[in-house]
Amino acid sequence: MKKVLIVINSYSISENIIYKSTRLKEELLKYKIESDIVKANQLLVKTKGNELDLEYLTDYYFAIYLDKDNYLAKAISLKIPLYNNYESLILSDDKMLSILNLYNSNIKAPLTISCPLCYIDEPKVDEVKLFLDDVEKALSYPMVFKLTHGSLGKQVFLINNRKELEEYYSMYKKVPHIYEEYLNYHIGDDYRVIVVGDEVIASMERVNKNDFRSNIALGGKGYDVTNTLNDSYKQLAIKAAKCLKLDYAGIDIAKGKDDEPIFIEANGNAFFTEIEKVTSINIASHFIKYILRKEKIID
């Protein structure tokens, strides 16, 4: 009898990961479908180019991927359907790629500058100065620094002056990162909108009174706005999820001048512990139903 594979990270087993994987498992059981929750390091990718040692995946209908290991995601997707799909994971996990893929979509995002690739220890001082001068001129202070790959707001920092700009560049010059316009209209306040397919399932306002980052993991609190959020925000979330080819997404949106929605980032592996709690909406059920219908397992 076929089952469903739920893949989680090898090393980071947080309460949110346990909650999400367990909830998905519970919803699958309602359809009499068993699932295995498996750590990524139990699924080593072994390939010779024309051979791929993941044959046992024939025992599964599909995989729900709750990790960020792109190599494993690609390997699984060569064997069975993957949710989210491999391409969407690439686009949503890289913050700069996400913004670039909104081009011509009529979705507004903060002014963002990517750091040029650097793979040497000591780049020329004049070249670094030229780049940092351009960043400073375009964004002024304060500005936001982000690693292109990260989650829970832990790789996001505020830069207040030239000294800090130089320090962050020096620390992270060999790591892909971006510099972003600081939105001072609603500091520590944004919206997390959950999209499944072409539908907004739930919306939560996140407010952090002690940090410019609104993340729940950093002390933010969630409030249900599913029925009150302006429709323009919901439409932006649906459009952004489409641009990034996401079946399931948590789209973060800030409020700009005149209540204009501004795309902040997309999360293809968005946790839903807090938003299920504050909205009383069964997000796991919506996601499982969507997948089962897409795979023609249910009508």
Side-chain angles (χ1 to χ4, degrees):
M1 181 178 178
K2 284 194 173 185
K3 296 185 286 186
V4 169
L5 179 65
I6 301 174
V7 182
I8 63 175
N9 184 262
S10 307
Y11 312 106
S12 178
I13 314 297
S14 66
E15 290 182 6
N16 283 323
I17 285 286
I18 294 170
Y19 179 86
K20 187 175 181 181
S21 56
T22 302
R23 289 284 297 109
L24 293 169
K25 187 179 183 74
E26 290 170 351
E27 292 302 322
L28 284 162
L29 281 174
K30 292 179 181 179
Y31 299 93
K32 296 182 170 54
I33 298 174
E34 297 283 344
S35 59
D36 293 331
I37 300 174
V38 178
K39 293 181 181 179
N41 59 2
Q42 297 174 256
L43 303 168
L44 293 180
V45 177
K46 302 173 186 175
T47 178
K48 294 181 180 179
N50 63 334
E51 297 177 21
L52 182 60
D53 185 12
L54 289 171
E55 294 301 326
Y56 66 91
L57 289 181
T58 55
D59 295 335
Y60 295 100
Y61 288 115
F62 55 84
I64 301 177
Y65 202 69
L66 307 184
D67 197 16
K68 293 177 179 289
D69 184 326
N70 294 329
Y71 303 136
L72 178 58
K74 179 62 176 179
I76 294 174
S77 70
L78 293 172
K79 296 290 185 179
I80 58 175
L82 188 72
Y83 293 91
N84 283 300
N85 66 80
Y86 170 71
E87 185 179 2
S88 72
L89 291 172
I90 297 289
L91 296 178
S92 62
D93 195 37
D94 185 318
K95 292 177 173 60
M96 189 63 185
L97 277 182
S98 293
I99 293 175
L100 288 171
N101 273 271
L102 301 180
Y103 181 66
N104 276 344
S105 66
N106 200 31
I107 292 176
K108 186 172 181 179
L111 178 59
T112 305
I113 300 173
S114 61
C115 182
L117 176 65
C118 176
Y119 47 83
I120 62 174
D121 292 329
E122 297 296 336
K124 292 181 179 179
V125 174
D126 288 348
E127 296 294 342
V128 173
K129 182 180 183 303
L130 180 64
F131 170 64
L132 296 184
D133 284 350
D134 286 343
V135 170
E136 189 176 59
K137 182 178 179 181
L139 299 176
S140 70
Y141 300 105
M143 68 180 73
V144 178
F145 173 99
K146 293 181 179 180
L147 298 187
T148 57
H149 295 78
S151 59
L152 304 176
K154 294 179 180 179
Q155 296 80 21
V156 179
F157 308 99
L158 199 63
I159 294 177
N160 295 289
N161 51 55
R162 179 65 179 228
K163 181 175 182 290
E164 291 181 2
L165 177 60
E166 291 172 353
E167 288 173 346
Y168 274 102
Y169 177 83
S170 179
M171 283 189 291
Y172 294 104
K173 61 180 175 287
K174 296 170 74 173
V175 182
H177 65 270
I178 57 178
Y179 301 88
E180 190 173 273
E181 173 188 7
Y182 179 63
L183 302 176
N184 59 3
Y185 314 121
H186 290 268
I187 301 167
D189 184 351
D190 67 9
Y191 300 97
R192 164 61 60 87
V193 182
I194 299 293
V195 178
V196 177
D198 295 333
E199 182 182 359
V200 168
I201 302 302
S203 303
M204 173 176 70
E205 184 173 10
R206 304 185 301 182
V207 179
N208 192 337
K209 295 181 179 180
N210 300 310
D211 200 309
F212 80 99
R213 299 164 295 184
S214 64
N215 304 75
I216 302 299
L218 298 175
K221 291 187 178 181
Y223 302 91
D224 182 14
V225 293
T226 302
N227 297 320
T228 58
L229 186 63
N230 188 290
D231 191 57
S232 63
Y233 286 69
K234 295 179 180 180
Q235 292 306 312
L236 182 148
I238 292 171
K239 190 183 293 185
K242 277 186 178 180
C243 286
L244 301 176
K245 307 181 189 303
L246 288 161
D247 293 295
Y248 167 83
I251 306 296
D252 295 341
I253 305 172
K255 186 184 292 186
K257 290 180 179 178
D258 302 318
D259 290 341
E260 177 186 25
I262 300 177
F263 173 90
I264 300 300
E265 59 186 61
N267 191 332
N269 281 318
F271 296 131
F272 47 68
T273 309
E274 183 74 7
I275 197 166
E276 278 201 339
K277 181 174 74 176
V278 302
T279 66
S280 299
I281 294 171
N282 190 337
I283 293 170
S285 175
H286 282 279
F287 189 27
I288 291 301
K289 283 180 184 176
Y290 171 83
I291 297 173
L292 295 180
R293 285 174 180 145
K294 194 166 183 178
E295 292 299 316
K296 298 182 170 29
I297 295 173
I298 65 171
D299 296 328

